[in-house]
Amino acid sequence: MNILVVGGGGREHAIIKKLKENSAIKTIYALPGNGGMAKDATCVDIAATDLDGIVNFAKENAIDYAVVAPDDPLVLGCVDRLNEVGIPCFGPKANAAIIEGSKAFSKDLMKKYNIPTASYEIFTELDKALEYLKTAPIPTVVKADGLALGKGVIIAQTREEAVEAVTDMMANAKFGKSGSTVVIEEFLTGPEVSVLAFTDGNVVKPMVSSMDHKRAGDNDTGLNTGGMGTIAPNPYYTEDIANECMETIFIPTINAMNAEGRTFKGCLYFGLMLTPNGPKVIEYNCRFGDPETQVVLPLLESDLLTVMQATTNGTLATTDVKFADRHACCVITASAGYPESYKKGFEITMSAEAEAHTYVAGAKLQDGQLLTSGGRVTGTTAVADSLEQAISDAYKLAKEVCFEGAYRRSDIGQRGLAAYK
Ligand code: AMP
Ligand code: GLY
């Protein structure tokens, strides 16, 4: 079989490495992929948002199945376009990907179908938003409606900060069109849990839960990033909570999307907060999380391609989705300065053992040398019988990934360990 994976980060590398365990797969193409995954996939320099380029490539290369991993091609309709030329895909069509593409859509969906989430107001006019902020409870959360590279969420601790955030989005177009509509919502508290779930539009099979570490600095200080490390499972996500989420959130969401004529197939990501009033949805993503995927897929015991095809064919009910009863930890190694400005082009070296456990996100091959080309450069994952061991193994291996200015948080998993105690 020939498989095409759209995307080029650590998440895509983790998907590709897992897919490769299936011996029926002959070739995996990554569009665009990155230099660090060149040993695992044939990387082709076509951007993930170049839908014409992707469709032409797929037609010319006898692609049997495509996996569309990132949010932007999904929201742009990459799956629709590939389906039109007869190529089955993993991922939702554009009319379902809107669950991530528009926060106003997802908030209204949750309200209409009684799915627990923070209370909110939606604004398309600056003066109305500013008027509302005069009396809104503080802290408050300001969100750009559209995709904003994970940066469109501002937790405003003061009224002034909230006014600044709304003005930046609506009047100064800080996030372009994404911020012309804003959602202002209730500030929730509690542990956060990421649950990725396979769904074929009928049944939903959650994957092992995980915990992201979003801030750049130790002890959750510093700026928000795309994620500096993850652990799975998430110790806060007990069986009782999982059952409650299935009943009050997962199944109602799948049913709601069907009722709206927007059947969702693929991986639906539930960003949850376990509040004192029960689990609530912070956000939906229409895709695998990054770096959640780098701890979730290493624990998957079932064949990934079989499960993905079951979501496409509507046969998930009769397909096994099994996870190992073990622990995984992923430590991101980033460029010094990330998430603000950083230098690129430093040579990356890693031991053979580290390489076997490492997913490459921000790197390119140049004259046979692997060079840094992004903020988050690699994610190194270890799996073990205890969380403590997984953390210690992941750090040992991650330290064998070397480049000038390499930066890691030193406390990935510590909050999780404390929660077990
Ligand atoms: P997002 O970029 O949508 O993943 O949001 C970034 C982070 O903002 C989340 O991981 C939460 O920590 C935080 N967040 C989003 N919405 C809320 C909320 N209503 N209350 C408290 N924190 C929130
Ligand atoms: N790690 C959060 C996300 O993928 O959106």
Side-chain angles (χ1 to χ4, degrees):
M1 283 186 85
N2 296 326
I3 308 282
L4 182 158
V5 174
V6 175
R11 163 185 54 207
E12 287 75 10
H13 198 186
I15 290 171
I16 286 165
K17 278 199 172 181
K18 196 73 199 174
L19 284 171
K20 278 185 70 183
E21 292 175 12
N22 182 321
S23 57
I25 297 178
K26 197 176 86 195
T27 310
I28 303 182
Y29 297 99
L31 276 55
N34 74 60
M37 58 174 88
K39 284 184 189 160
D40 296 306
T42 305
C43 298
V44 184
D45 193 16
I46 295 174
T49 49
D50 176 4
L51 302 196
D52 290 336
I54 292 167
V55 170
N56 287 335
F57 180 88
K59 284 200 299 200
E60 283 162 14
N61 290 275
I63 296 300
D64 299 293
Y65 192 71
V67 177
V68 183
D71 48 6
D72 25 8
L74 288 166
V75 170
L76 287 170
C78 191
V79 168
D80 310 56
R81 291 283 309 277
L82 286 165
N83 285 170
E84 274 164 26
V85 295
I87 296 168
C89 292
F90 180 78
K93 294 187 175 182
N95 76 344
I98 191 176
I99 198 165
E100 173 170 3
S102 166
K103 292 199 196 295
F105 169 85
S106 67
K107 295 300 288 189
D108 286 346
L109 184 85
M110 288 185 271
K111 187 190 240 173
K112 183 169 172 192
Y113 294 92
N114 285 316
I115 297 165
T117 188
S119 59
Y120 68 101
E121 298 286 337
I122 296 172
F123 297 96
T124 51
E125 287 167 53
L126 178 64
D127 0 335
K128 296 212 168 116
L130 293 177
E131 187 60 34
Y132 171 80
L133 282 178
K134 284 184 183 160
T135 55
I138 298 293
T140 192
V141 183
V142 179
K143 299 186 172 183
D145 174 54
L147 298 179
L149 298 168
K151 295 186 184 118
V153 175
I154 309 290
I155 314 282
Q157 300 293 346
T158 63
R159 220 166 283 285
E160 292 68 39
E161 270 175 51
V163 167
E164 189 187 326
V166 164
T167 311
D168 273 349
M169 287 180 196
M170 301 188 85
N172 306 336
K174 188 165 177 190
F175 300 106
K177 253 182 65 192
S178 287
S180 57
T181 299
V182 301
V183 175
I184 302 181
E185 70 177 31
E186 174 196 9
F187 175 73
L188 300 176
T189 56
E192 280 186 59
V193 182
S194 305
V195 180
L196 320 184
F198 291 110
T199 176
D200 61 359
N202 291 307
V203 296
V204 52
K205 294 201 172 177
M207 301 178 221
V208 61
S209 63
S210 55
M211 181 194 283
D212 197 358
H213 296 69
K214 284 205 167 134
R215 300 294 200 92
D218 284 355
N219 302 312
D220 299 318
T221 54
L223 294 171
N224 246 326
T225 70
M228 292 300 292
T230 35
I231 59 164
N234 185 318
Y236 292 105
Y237 194 69
T238 61
E239 208 176 313
D240 282 349
I241 293 175
N243 290 335
E244 186 180 352
C245 290
M246 182 58 100
E247 259 170 55
T248 63
I249 296 173
F250 304 161
I251 293 172
T253 302
I254 299 305
N255 291 345
M257 291 298 278
N258 285 333
E260 294 293 311
R262 297 175 180 274
T263 297
F264 190 103
K265 294 182 177 205
C267 172
L268 185 51
Y269 169 129
F270 298 89
L272 306 172
M273 196 170 264
L274 309 181
T275 77
N277 300 317
K280 296 194 179 184
V281 178
I282 289 278
E283 62 162 349
Y284 292 114
N285 291 325
C286 64
R287 53 171 173 87
F288 280 102
D290 192 347
E292 285 88 343
T293 305
Q294 289 90 312
V295 283
V296 168
L297 289 187
L299 293 172
L300 178 66
E301 289 181 334
S302 311
D303 175 57
L304 179 59
L305 180 64
T306 306
V307 176
M308 286 180 155
Q309 288 177 315
T311 69
T312 313
N313 301 336
T315 52
L316 193 58
T318 53
T319 303
D320 263 351
V321 182
K322 268 194 69 189
F323 285 85
D325 190 11
R326 303 185 76 197
H327 295 263
C329 174
C330 173
V331 174
I332 300 292
T333 304
S335 301
Y338 173 77
E340 294 185 286
S341 65
Y342 50 84
K343 290 199 182 125
K344 303 178 190 178
F346 297 116
E347 187 182 359
I348 306 166
T349 59
M350 51 184 120
S351 67
E353 203 191 351
E355 188 176 330
H357 287 82
T358 293
Y359 305 115
V360 181
K364 62 173 186 185
L365 267 178
Q366 197 173 300
D367 305 326
Q369 275 190 340
L370 193 60
L371 306 178
T372 63
S373 69
R376 290 187 297 173
V377 177
T378 54
T380 303
T381 299
V383 173
D385 288 332
S386 70
L387 175 58
E388 206 155 17
Q389 190 65 48
I391 295 169
S392 131
D393 292 352
Y395 270 102
K396 183 179 159 286
L397 292 163
K399 284 175 187 161
E400 293 170 16
V401 176
C402 304
F403 56 86
E404 196 177 317
Y407 168 73
R408 287 174 275 272
R409 265 179 70 161
S410 70
D411 66 339
I412 301 303
Q414 293 305 321
R415 201 152 30 89
L417 265 188
Y420 279 121
K421 285 177 185 149

